[in-house]
Amino acid sequence: MAKILLFPGMEMTAEMALSLDVEQYSKDELESMLPLIEKVYDALQEEEPEDIESQEYYEWAERMEALDDVMDEIQDALEE
């Protein structure tokens, strides 16, 4: 995967967060990215579909879990 460069004022998207290869970034870069990913996670959380039996809900939940995994991976890298 390519390394994503974030410029000042640039917003993180869910797609960008999910495509990150955490090992390619320094701890400083990861520290600056984590709040941006948390912001994406919070925004996505507000879009929770009402019907928990729907395909839309299933896809939303999968995306939330994937973002959570990325944040966990970043936290683990920062703790090393």
Side-chain angles (χ1 to χ4, degrees):
M1 281 184 223
K3 185 174 179 180
I4 296 172
L5 299 176
L6 292 175
F7 297 100
M10 190 174 167
E11 293 207 19
M12 175 75 70
T13 66
E15 291 76 18
M16 290 168 66
L18 294 173
S19 68
L20 291 176
D21 183 359
V22 173
E23 295 177 2
Q24 291 189 14
Y25 296 91
S26 70
K27 286 188 177 188
D28 288 340
E29 290 171 319
L30 293 174
E31 285 177 356
S32 66
M33 277 187 211
L34 189 55
L36 300 174
I37 297 171
E38 289 170 343
K39 184 178 176 181
V40 170
Y41 183 90
D42 292 343
L44 188 58
Q45 196 166 23
E46 292 178 15
E47 297 175 11
E48 179 179 357
E50 290 182 27
D51 182 3
I52 63 171
E53 300 295 323
S54 69
Q55 179 66 26
E56 182 182 29
Y57 186 90
Y58 174 78
E59 291 170 3
W60 172 85
E62 288 281 314
R63 190 172 218 174
M64 291 294 290
E65 186 175 334
L67 281 172
D68 193 43
D69 290 346
V70 169
M71 290 187 295
D72 287 346
E73 190 176 349
I74 290 172
Q75 287 288 0
D76 290 346
L78 292 174
E79 291 173 4
E80 291 180 351

